Amino acid sequence: MRQLIAGNWKMNGLGQAAFAEIEALRAGLAADPPHADVLVCPPATLIARAHWAAKGAFPLGGQDCHAQASGAFTGDVSAEMLKDAGATWVIVGHSERRQYHHESDADVAAKARAAWRAGLTAIVCIGETERERMDGHTLDVVSRQLGASVPDGATPQNTVIAYEPIWAIGTGKTPTSAEIAEVHAHIRKIVGAGTRILYGGSVKPSNAKEILGLADVDGALVGGASLKAQDFLALIAAAAERS
Ligand code: PGA
């Protein structure tokens, strides 16, 4: 399957500068068509403008959604609203949401169902803490999160899994290739052959080729290195050619 390189801008990006990065990304992809599918998940405030600037060259995604379609939930954004703004994807259960907003696996599952209801593809994030890895619990944690965060009804079309070890996010630390391969093989056994499994956590142009070359790594979820089009393009160029 074609790899997916997804950029997660987190809470970064303001009007004109963000617009320029989207334009640069579009121009770079047009000049050098990638082997991989590309996705950008900017802040919700930028989705409509980014969608316009991308001109269909790549899709846009949200970074979170509420489980309900509408209602008295001040400050929240629904999957339907993301769709309305031009998104076709949404990340759910990112560790920063789980940690800072106390989202449980059940909350994440409800958000994934909301994504499907709105016609969005959900990227469901899972991953262990440093303590859990040191204690040898990584595979158990990943199994438990997959079971509880991914609702029944998940298909390769409506769901992508992102394995993101929490201790690797934004730290510059990554697991060894053998460690990544072990977890991805474990996830593969659970989710089956057709479902994309992304790796996330300190993916950069310098390590992308090695990580994206691993079996059962079907792409990457990229934070810091997705903010600048030139870095992101270099990373996209490292995607493995798979049919
Ligand atoms: P990072 O973030 O690439 O900056 O480590 C990845 C993520 O949180 O999705």
Side-chain angles (χ1 to χ4, degrees):
M1 77 189 96
R2 256 168 91 85
Q3 292 191 319
L4 171 68
I5 312 297
N8 170 15
W9 284 14
K10 309 193 179 185
M11 198 171 74
N12 295 290
L14 295 171
Q16 202 50 44
F19 194 87
E21 294 301 334
I22 295 287
E23 294 245 280
L25 181 59
R26 179 170 61 83
L29 293 173
D32 189 10
H35 302 310
D37 294 336
V38 174
L39 167 69
V40 176
C41 300
T45 49
L46 288 173
I47 289 172
R49 271 180 288 180
H51 180 242
W52 190 82
K55 295 192 169 40
F58 49 87
L60 282 303
Q63 300 172 6
D64 174 50
C65 65
H66 195 276
Q68 302 293 321
S70 62
F73 302 103
T74 300
D76 279 313
V77 174
S78 72
E80 282 77 0
M81 290 169 174
L82 296 173
K83 172 97 176 183
D84 189 46
T88 45
W89 293 71
V90 63
I91 299 166
V92 296
H94 191 281
S95 67
E96 288 151 17
R97 301 292 314 176
R98 292 178 185 264
Q99 185 181 349
Y100 305 136
H101 298 267
H102 312 293
E103 293 184 7
S104 66
D105 285 324
D107 295 329
V108 176
K111 290 172 182 231
R113 276 192 294 269
W116 302 345
R117 181 189 65 220
L120 305 179
T121 303
I123 299 178
V124 181
C125 302
I126 56 173
E128 81 286 0
T129 63
E130 191 154 36
R131 180 84 255 160
E132 288 164 339
R133 175 161 284 275
M134 287 190 317
D135 291 346
H137 296 320
T138 298
L139 299 184
D140 291 342
V141 168
V142 162
S143 300
R144 178 174 44 74
Q145 289 183 328
L146 272 178
S149 300
V150 180
D152 290 345
T155 68
Q157 287 71 41
N158 66 21
T159 303
V160 167
I161 307 300
Y163 167 58
E164 299 204 298
I166 294 170
W167 52 274
I169 294 176
T171 58
K173 293 192 268 182
T174 55
T176 65
S177 290
E179 287 167 339
I180 296 173
E182 180 192 30
V183 179
H184 278 242
H186 179 76
I187 296 170
R188 173 70 66 215
K189 274 194 243 140
I190 298 171
V191 301
T195 298
R196 271 172 167 159
I197 308 168
L198 312 184
Y199 169 78
S202 295
V203 182
K204 306 181 276 274
S206 56
N207 62 16
K209 206 166 182 67
E210 179 170 351
I211 293 171
L212 291 168
L214 297 171
D216 291 318
V217 173
D218 307 311
L221 182 55
V222 185
S226 73
L227 292 172
K228 289 272 168 254
Q230 292 319 316
D231 293 340
F232 198 42
L233 284 164
L235 211 155
I236 292 163
E241 197 167 349
R242 294 187 188 155
S243 52

